[in-house]
Amino acid sequence: MASLGFLFFFLLPLILLELSSSRSVMAAKTRHFKWDVEYIHWSPDGEESVVMGINGQFPGPTIRAKAGDTVAVHLTNKLHTEGVVIHWHGIRQIGTPWADGTAAISQCAINPGETFLYRFKVDKAGTYFYHGHYGMQRSAGLYGSLIVEVGEGEKEPFHYDGEFNLLLSDWWHKGSHEQEVDLSSNPLRWIGEPQTLLLNGRGQYNCSLAARFSKPPLPQCKLRGGEQYAPQILRVRPNKIYRLRVASTTALASLSLAIGGHKMVVVEADGNYVQPFSVQDMDIYSGESYSVLFKTDQDPTKNYWISINVRGREPKTPQGLTLLNYLPNSASKFPTLPPPIAPLWNDYNHSKSFSNKIFALMGSPKPPPQNHRRIILLNTQNKIDGYTKWAINNVSLVLPTTPYLGSIRYGINAFDTKPPPDNFPKDYDVLKQAPNSNSTYGNGVYMLKFNTTIDIILQNANALAKDVSEIHPWHLHGHDFWVLGYGEGKFSEKDVKKFNLKNPPLRNTAVIFPFGWTALRFVTDNPGVWAFHCHIEPHLHMGMGVIFAEGVHLVKKIPKEALACGLTGKMLMSNKHN
């Protein structure tokens, strides 16, 4: 068990450190990657499926770069019948909004046989990932890790002896296209819970690595060398400090992560340093990333379980497992103790306790003291012509055929010109079923004044069923935001006094808890058009998102390939806006 001395070992350098931004431009590199996206046969959990792979592998290749580098990905779509884009999750795309990789928002989908160059700067060290952002291609397996190390001459504000990376995801045996049809049907056919939880694309279906401890009982997994679903084992030496980078690209599941017998010290969240704090287990929602430090100070003659479990939904998916292998022990030596016991799936107080421990590292940028505009976004489940949808302020998002970026930049009315509402009716009771659950489709844009401070209040509410409200992790493209606070029930003006303006964490993804609210603040300093949406794949597919635009008139040199569809494509073909 980690001691207080272990925690203070990290606190002292963190307090004293001032991050340097003086890295020489000469040291920056351009890192080129050539990728082919195609469907491949793969066995993520022992059941062969058709998955989306990159260069014949799943998950896609890990990108490693240094802060200040330029990443250039030459992506060729080798899918036969559908477009593709890739979003670089957590990369702010400063000066390159067309490289954000959001179909119908920042760019046209890349057609079969075409190649698109994603070229962008990774300006900030941290743990990130990438994934498909067209249809439900993330559910089909289109994702991978993106690690940005500190620049030349810079140091992390903590010490470690070795590093591992875990990309967490969930897996269905039903294909993503069939899931799309189910979610778009009347009546709704819910996709159900995932069959398997994956760690670095590997899981075990209908068996367990820890079979003798599993409830309900599962047969022991019979693994042979080289199998695609065999767990990636983390091999460590005793009495060392390791950094574990962990990111969640799950389509649905919120997760709890634990390392048997070991405490974890959280030091990074979404590419931003945080005041270190120690936990036995941690919640991680879709779209979030963390770095934790752990010390291998347990019995060196044993191995230990690393486990992930479902949170926030009644778990019908077995836990995901891999091994922490203390060398020189054999990796075939299974732990003698059962995997860590996860918190109850609906113990939201446990989840809130974790979220409320996350503060910005001392010396981090503080939010502006006042906002210029507040937008309150009510999150509800609705009906439209009998179809089940999600809506924000009673509008369910349906993307246009022409990407917003080109449409706004060149003054083409290819979307709803009526702005969506900044609030919802004052008499709406978020704790009860809506008296009228009907909603409308829309694709209007929140036009934000450039270089202003915006507050977003995410307000959760009762879904269609009585006494049902779900966890929703919301992700903002193009920005980090300060998480000013969380609250219960309906947000009111008196809650502003509770905002944390002293040391709120900078994040790009934040959760709203059932029947609660979350307050965010960000500065509109990045010209472009940016999605803000629930990172649960089925929820976005069903309309849970909004669009922000800021300073689009300042965007220059948009590649034609990003615009060559819909009305912008026709304008380009007529050479009116070259």
Side-chain angles (χ1 to χ4, degrees), residues 440-496:
T440 58
Y441 295 116
N443 54 30
V445 177
Y446 286 95
M447 297 291 186
L448 308 179
K449 190 176 180 180
F450 190 57
N451 267 335
T452 59
T453 300
I454 307 297
D455 277 9
I456 303 295
I457 309 297
L458 291 168
Q459 177 67 65
N460 216 341
N462 200 97
L464 286 173
K466 185 180 179 182
D467 299 327
V468 173
S469 185
E470 298 184 20
I471 280 178
H472 299 289
W474 275 72
H475 171 59
L476 177 60
H477 294 229
H479 301 272
D480 286 345
F481 49 67
W482 289 275
V483 183
L484 303 185
Y486 307 89
E488 309 291 335
K490 190 175 181 178
F491 175 83
S492 68
E493 195 63 36
K494 68 179 187 302
D495 292 317
V496 175

Side-chain angles (χ1 to χ4, degrees), residues 342-398:
L344 290 175
W345 69 271
N346 56 356
D347 184 353
Y348 296 117
N349 287 332
H350 188 88
S351 301
K352 293 171 186 177
S353 173
F354 175 76
S355 294
N356 285 321
K357 290 176 182 176
I358 304 173
F359 298 105
L361 177 65
M362 191 179 298
S364 298
K366 293 185 178 182
Q370 301 292 333
N371 69 72
H372 297 101
R373 180 178 176 183
R374 179 192 294 160
I375 300 172
I376 302 179
L377 301 177
L378 176 68
N379 191 95
T380 55
Q381 195 176 45
N382 298 74
K383 291 282 188 178
I384 303 179
D385 299 327
Y387 292 87
T388 302
K389 299 294 177 182
W390 289 94
I392 303 302
N393 290 351
N394 215 40
V395 178
S396 186
L397 180 65
V398 177

Side-chain angles (χ1 to χ4, degrees), residues 9-19 150 154-160 243 267 273-274 276 293 361:
F9 177 81
F10 297 106
L11 275 169
L12 286 173
L14 284 165
I15 293 170
L16 297 173
L17 183 88
E18 289 186 10
L19 295 177
V150 294
E154 296 180 3
K155 292 183 178 180
E156 299 275 16
F158 40 79
H159 164 77
Y160 54 95
R243 178 183 191 169
V267 293
Y273 298 123
V274 300
L293 303 173
L361 177 65

Side-chain angles (χ1 to χ4, degrees), residues 88-367:
W88 314 94
H89 188 106
I91 305 301
R92 294 178 292 180
Q93 300 296 347
I94 297 172
T96 52
W98 54 83
D100 190 45
T102 48
I105 301 171
S106 62
Q107 71 171 109
C108 303
I110 306 163
N111 288 324
E114 293 181 348
T115 298
F116 185 84
L117 172 60
Y118 286 105
R119 186 181 179 92
F120 53 89
K121 187 176 181 179
V122 289
D123 64 306
K124 187 157 57 79
T127 304
Y128 308 102
F129 61 101
Y130 61 85
H131 60 81
H133 215 294
Y134 181 56
M136 290 181 62
Q137 291 180 342
R138 177 157 54 97
S139 295
L142 185 54
Y143 46 73
S145 294
L146 198 170
I147 306 301
V148 182
E149 300 168 351
V150 294
E152 296 292 339
E154 296 180 3
K155 292 183 178 180
E156 299 275 16
F158 40 79
H159 164 77
Y160 54 95
D161 301 302
E163 178 181 310
F164 300 101
N165 181 50
L166 280 183
L167 184 62
L168 311 180
S169 55
D170 41 13
W171 189 250
W172 282 257
H173 294 162
K174 180 183 288 187
S176 61
H177 293 304
E178 189 175 352
Q179 291 183 42
E180 286 181 0
V181 174
D182 287 349
L183 294 168
S184 303
S185 295
N186 183 7
L188 171 74
R189 297 187 183 187
W190 179 241
I191 62 172
E193 303 304 306
Q195 275 67 63
T196 316
L197 301 178
L198 306 181
L199 298 92
N200 288 339
R202 296 163 181 250
Q204 294 77 43
Y205 174 67
N206 221 18
C207 69
S208 174
L209 297 176
R212 67 192 181 102
F213 302 112
S214 64
K215 294 179 181 179
L218 288 170
Q220 181 72 43
C221 296
K222 296 179 181 179
L223 300 170
R224 297 177 297 276
E227 288 175 323
Q228 294 169 338
Y229 61 97
Q232 286 189 350
I233 294 168
L234 279 60
R235 293 178 169 86
V236 296
R237 296 284 181 185
N239 297 311
K240 300 290 184 181
I241 296 168
Y242 290 90
R243 178 183 191 169
L244 179 62
R245 297 179 183 266
V246 55
S248 176
T249 186
T250 55
L252 176 64
S254 302
L255 299 172
S256 173
L257 170 74
I259 306 174
H262 296 70
K263 281 191 175 181
M264 299 178 288
V265 176
V266 181
V267 293
E268 177 216 343
D270 293 353
N272 296 285
Y273 298 123
V274 300
Q275 281 296 113
F277 63 98
S278 179
V279 291
Q280 292 287 159
D281 59 79
M282 57 181 287
D283 279 10
I284 180 165
Y285 304 100
S286 179
E288 291 187 326
S289 63
Y290 291 95
S291 282
V292 300
L293 303 173
F294 67 92
K295 190 172 183 180
T296 50
D297 55 1
Q298 299 302 294
D299 185 344
T301 65
K302 296 181 179 180
N303 292 330
Y304 300 86
W305 294 114
I306 298 174
S307 66
I308 52 174
N309 292 270
V310 172
R311 302 282 291 127
R313 307 181 68 87
E314 187 173 357
K316 298 175 182 175
T317 309
Q319 64 187 163
L321 293 170
T322 190
L323 276 176
L324 185 69
N325 173 210
Y326 271 60
L327 296 173
N329 298 331
S330 168
S332 62
K333 183 180 182 180
F334 276 32
T336 56
L337 295 175
I341 297 174
L344 290 175
W345 69 271
N346 56 356
D347 184 353
Y348 296 117
N349 287 332
H350 188 88
S351 301
K352 293 171 186 177
S353 173
F354 175 76
S355 294
N356 285 321
K357 290 176 182 176
I358 304 173
F359 298 105
L361 177 65
M362 191 179 298
S364 298
K366 293 185 178 182

